[in-house]
Amino acid sequence: MAYQTINPTTNQLVKTWPNHTDAQVEDALASAHRLYKSEWSKGSIQPRLAVLRKLADLIDARNEELARIITLEMGKLIGESRGELQVVAQIARFYADNAERFLAPVSVQTDQGDAWIEHQPIGVLVAVEPWNFPFYQLMRVLAPNMAAGNPIVAKHASIVPHCASVFEALVTEAGAPKGAWTNLFVTADQIGTLIADPRVQGAAMTGSEGAGSVIAAQAGKYLKKSTLEMGGNDVFVVLEDSDLDKAVEVGTFSRLHVAGQECIGAKRFVVREEVADAFLSKLTAAFKAVKIGDPLDETTTLGPLSSAGARDGLIKQVKAAVSSGATLHYGAGVVDLPGHFFEPAILTNVTRDNPAYFEEFFGPVAQVYVVKTDDEIVELANDSNYGLSGVVFSKNIERAKSLASRIETGAVWINTFSSTAPELPFGGVKRSGYGRELSELGIKEFVNQKLVLVAKA
Ligand code: NAP
């Protein structure tokens, strides 16, 4: 696929970016490997942390300029772009402030002698990343691995090449040496060749199941460590004792944030029968109230989807869900604008034999399920191929905690939406992937946790 900037609001082609040749890819890999063998990776952590601090400052200072680049390239609301960039700077600062402590040797109690675990870089990593948080996804991989000393060659999604090249330029401007982070406009085949190369020691992938399983297979074939951050069809549970208005407000935000293109967005609303009618009518009113339009306009509340393919795929999914028996309770009407817009929609009566029951809808489409008991909630939540995150709304925190413990996902949030922060681990189970990004867990994914033992005298 060509690397192209197409404004999702106007459907105008802005720029086509040339692919990197095999020779350029080899040059990038050779530089990264040389860096790994150098004092930069093996020596003091301080110069690497200094780059992260400078990078955070640059991103904060250019928040508005970078936010516009994001919005013009993948269509999220300008306010959402600003918010993304704030978190991106926080991640860089978080690892700059904490990585030395996370990577310090940890002593091990044993009667064999004096033992400890050291944390050392393992080598060049390949990162393959999606477009929905075009700076955040890159920083989730860069910050911990720069701190740890692992150089990265990165393939960003082909619809956000401007973001990809600006991010690389920022890392360089922050003082990173050649090879620390190299953006590559490459094909899937070139990624396969990179993963197979003995100089590469790991692959970090965020995206869809299909791409994840290709990357994981390539990494597995060559015995390379991989982390996979895939999609989800997260539940948003509303118990009968919830603050219903709050649940609707937060649920609407979670489903429509970034036009519904968020891996941890609420996708299946699972509502206790006692409040189901009230919840559905309030959710419908909230969906009807959105203002669809230009994401640069501060008053817009729902922008376009990221690409024509994303919109067309979603239209197909909704049609298939309805033809398999679901009720289109609201929305999915035609939006008379030139870009990739999609009217938010609500599906009800999605039965287990409907393909929609197991699918991820990566756009502003909510499914609403009605349940009679808490056991039914757990059964429905866990009857999924995915296991990324989930939400429980209730005024009874003990009851919500008990449900949270029973839901098979990488995270559960109570009385708020699933979100992210540098100190909180991020990742899933089942087909949502494996491994964790962010937090102390994230920095430990691609380090050699090396045991050293001095025998007793
Ligand atoms: P995608 O098609 O899998 O694309 C993600 C990245 O993988 C892009 O850079 C893409 O490049 C690349 N890619 C695709 N096929 C490849 C292959 N065979 N070999 C190497 N690279 C390949 O994902 P998407 O549909 O754009 O993104 C949305 C998905 O990501 C959703 O399922 C969402 O839930 C998930 N996601 C998960 C998380 C998380 O942290 N768990 C976060 C964000 C998104 P091209 O663009 O060139 O195809």
Side-chain angles (χ1 to χ4, degrees):
M1 195 168 162
Y3 286 80
Q4 288 186 324
T5 300
I6 296 173
N7 184 338
T9 309
T10 60
N11 200 18
Q12 298 284 310
L13 173 64
V14 177
K15 182 172 172 180
T16 299
W17 305 68
N19 274 45
H20 286 99
T21 63
D22 288 346
Q24 287 171 314
V25 174
E26 167 53 31
D27 182 50
L29 180 54
S31 297
H33 187 61
R34 255 195 314 276
L35 193 66
Y36 169 63
K37 293 287 185 191
S38 76
E39 194 56 19
W40 165 261
S41 284
K42 313 281 183 186
S44 162
I45 193 173
Q46 292 309 328
R48 304 194 298 271
L49 302 186
V51 170
L52 289 177
R53 282 199 186 91
K54 177 82 191 300
L55 186 54
D57 291 345
L58 287 174
I59 290 168
D60 275 343
R62 297 190 196 153
N63 182 290
E64 194 59 31
E65 172 197 334
L66 299 174
R68 280 183 68 84
I69 292 172
I70 294 176
T71 294
L72 287 169
E73 195 162 48
M74 57 67 66
K76 71 171 63 168
L77 302 178
I78 187 70
E80 293 173 342
S81 297
R82 292 181 192 124
E84 173 179 343
L85 289 159
Q86 282 164 6
V87 178
V88 172
Q90 285 164 10
I91 295 170
R93 265 191 210 102
F94 172 76
Y95 283 107
D97 292 344
N98 294 289
E100 192 168 18
R101 177 168 59 85
F102 293 155
L103 298 176
V106 175
S107 89
V108 179
Q109 293 306 309
T110 170
D111 58 10
Q112 307 281 309
D114 184 14
W116 63 92
I117 306 279
E118 295 179 5
H119 301 99
Q120 297 177 339
I122 58 169
V124 180
L125 306 180
V126 169
V128 178
E129 300 301 321
W131 43 266
N132 58 342
F133 289 85
F135 280 69
Y136 162 83
Q137 291 295 345
L138 305 188
M139 187 59 89
R140 287 205 323 191
V141 181
L142 172 79
N145 287 299
M146 177 168 283
N150 295 317
I152 294 160
V153 288
K155 182 213 172 313
H156 212 333
S158 50
I159 63 168
V160 287
H162 193 186
C163 292
S165 73
V166 167
F167 186 83
E168 182 188 53
L170 284 165
V171 177
T172 304
E173 190 180 338
K178 185 170 182 327
W181 176 274
T182 311
N183 170 62
L184 293 173
F185 294 137
V186 283
T187 62
D189 284 350
Q190 285 170 305
I191 287 294
T193 306
L194 276 169
I195 291 173
D197 193 288
R199 290 166 289 183
V200 168
Q201 291 304 326
M205 156 83 197
T206 296
S208 62
E209 279 178 83
S213 106
V214 171
I215 302 282
Q218 288 163 341
K221 180 170 179 192
Y222 294 98
L223 303 180
K224 310 286 170 76
K225 170 86 189 267
S226 62
T227 55
L228 293 186
E229 300 277 356
M230 310 281 92
N233 60 355
D234 292 1
V235 289
F236 188 103
V237 174
V238 182
L239 298 182
E240 73 284 4
D241 63 358
S242 305
D243 175 340
L244 212 56
D245 288 330
K246 185 86 187 150
V248 170
E249 180 198 325
V250 171
T252 304
F253 172 82
S254 180
R255 181 63 293 216
L256 302 186
H257 189 228
V258 192
Q261 305 164 113
E262 183 167 24
C263 52
I264 52 171
K267 301 199 175 131
R268 295 182 291 155
F269 290 87
V270 180
V271 188
R272 280 286 299 238
E273 173 179 65
E274 298 88 329
V275 290
D277 288 347
F279 179 83
L280 186 58
S281 87
K282 284 171 189 277
L283 187 74
T284 309
F287 273 37
K288 273 184 189 163
V290 299
K291 183 178 169 211
I292 298 176
D294 181 354
L296 283 174
D297 178 340
E298 307 277 350
T299 66
T300 299
T301 56
L302 189 69
L305 295 184
S306 61
S307 66
R311 182 206 46 211
D312 296 345
L314 198 60
I315 290 171
K316 241 193 196 159
Q317 262 184 309
V318 170
K319 279 193 177 143
V322 172
S323 68
S324 298
T327 304
L328 180 60
H329 176 79
Y330 171 75
V334 174
V335 179
D336 189 19
L337 289 169
H340 314 313
F341 293 91
F342 188 96
E343 186 184 44
I346 299 174
L347 292 170
T348 56
N349 298 316
V350 180
T351 49
R352 198 173 187 280
D353 56 353
N354 191 324
Y357 182 92
F358 288 105
E359 286 172 359
E360 178 187 41
F361 282 67
F362 213 54
V365 179
Q367 298 185 8
V368 178
Y369 295 84
V370 181
V371 288
K372 289 189 170 64
T373 66
D374 287 8
D375 284 347
E376 228 184 298
I377 290 169
V378 174
E379 202 180 309
L380 186 57
N382 294 342
D383 191 18
S384 167
N385 298 325
Y386 295 108
L388 193 52
S389 78
V391 167
V392 179
F393 254 80
S394 172
K395 285 189 184 145
N396 181 340
I397 299 300
E398 288 312 310
R399 183 176 165 205
K401 277 161 64 179
S402 150
L403 279 174
S405 298
R406 296 170 67 195
I407 293 175
E408 297 166 349
T409 53
V412 178
W413 299 67
I414 295 173
N415 290 338
T416 185
F417 52 92
S418 296
S419 187
T420 185
E423 67 279 12
L424 301 177
F426 196 112
V429 294
K430 303 201 243 175
R431 292 186 72 83
S432 292
Y434 49 79
R436 293 292 180 269
E437 289 187 343
L438 301 176
S439 78
E440 182 170 356
L441 299 185
I443 202 172
K444 299 276 172 72
E445 289 287 355
F446 293 106
V447 290
N448 178 7
Q449 306 195 40
K450 183 202 277 181
L451 170 70
V452 182
L453 187 144
V454 184
K456 283 180 182 165

